[in-house]
Amino acid sequence: MKQKCIYLAEEDIKLLTEIKGRYGLKSDGQAVAFLLHKHEMENQELAVAVRKELEENYLPKERIRWGVQTAEQNTIVMVDALNTLLWMFKAKECYRADEIIHPVIKESQEELKRKIAYFKQKSDERKSRKGNQDSQGSRMTPKGRS
């Protein structure tokens, strides 16, 4: 340990004495060290809170916005392609997909289900890892106290 000589105003000395009493600290040095560590912990907690806010509120909204935009664009492309095919083959009848489904469409639906399950599993794994990290956090206590 190194010794430092510092100047404090009377009101700061009163606060330091009050903090020593409140937390059962034995010296001014312990009180200053406690306050420094407490300040660092509060900064880390603030960073975690900001990250959590972004993850819970902002990022999902951006993903939803992006997903809706992509779905809209894909729908327009699909309707144009289908319209072109209907004109090329001079189609005269409509077969409802919920009544008679073409094997290619069925294969596409199954592949989509597999893809969704894969990404859900990856998302669940990320959440599980995050949950494990959050539960391993520690609380700050003054030196020598628990």
Side-chain angles (χ1 to χ4, degrees):
M1 264 197 258
K2 289 191 174 189
Q3 184 175 357
K4 295 284 183 178
C5 209
I6 59 172
Y7 296 98
L8 296 173
E10 281 298 319
E11 61 189 44
D12 293 337
I13 292 172
K14 286 179 186 176
L15 283 172
L16 195 60
T17 303
E18 187 180 307
I19 290 167
K20 281 185 351 186
R22 186 181 311 153
Y23 293 102
L25 303 168
K26 296 184 182 357
S27 70
D28 292 345
Q30 282 183 338
V32 170
F34 173 75
L35 291 172
L36 291 171
H37 291 285
K38 183 177 181 188
H39 175 73
E40 183 63 27
M41 184 65 75
E42 287 171 353
N43 282 345
Q44 290 175 0
E45 289 172 357
L46 178 61
V48 168
V50 168
R51 187 190 82 217
K52 186 176 179 180
E53 177 71 20
L54 283 172
E55 288 174 351
E56 290 177 356
N57 295 313
Y58 178 73
L59 297 177
K61 289 176 185 174
E62 283 300 305
R63 279 192 215 133
I64 290 169
R65 185 184 63 77
W66 179 79
V68 168
Q69 182 180 8
T70 301
E72 182 179 11
Q73 292 169 351
N74 288 340
T75 300
I76 292 168
V77 170
M78 293 297 294
V79 169
D80 287 347
L82 184 58
N83 189 53
T84 302
L85 289 172
L86 290 170
W87 279 105
M88 285 175 59
F89 292 109
K90 297 179 174 66
K92 302 286 184 204
E93 296 178 40
C94 175
Y95 297 100
R96 294 174 39 96
D98 60 342
E99 293 174 2
I100 303 173
I101 191 164
H102 194 278
V104 172
I105 300 295
K106 184 71 175 165
E107 180 183 341
S108 176
Q109 289 173 338
E110 289 170 0
E111 180 58 32
L112 180 60
K113 285 179 187 175
R114 283 191 293 273
K115 190 175 183 179
I116 290 170
Y118 171 80
F119 285 113
K120 180 172 182 349
Q121 179 181 0
K122 292 296 179 189
S123 174
D124 290 346
E125 289 170 2
R126 278 192 307 274
K127 289 176 184 174
S128 175
R129 281 194 304 266
K130 181 182 173 247
N132 289 340
Q133 290 172 353
D134 289 347
S135 67
Q136 294 174 358
S138 64
R139 302 197 76 188
M140 184 186 71
T141 57
K143 195 171 186 177
R145 296 186 61 150
S146 47

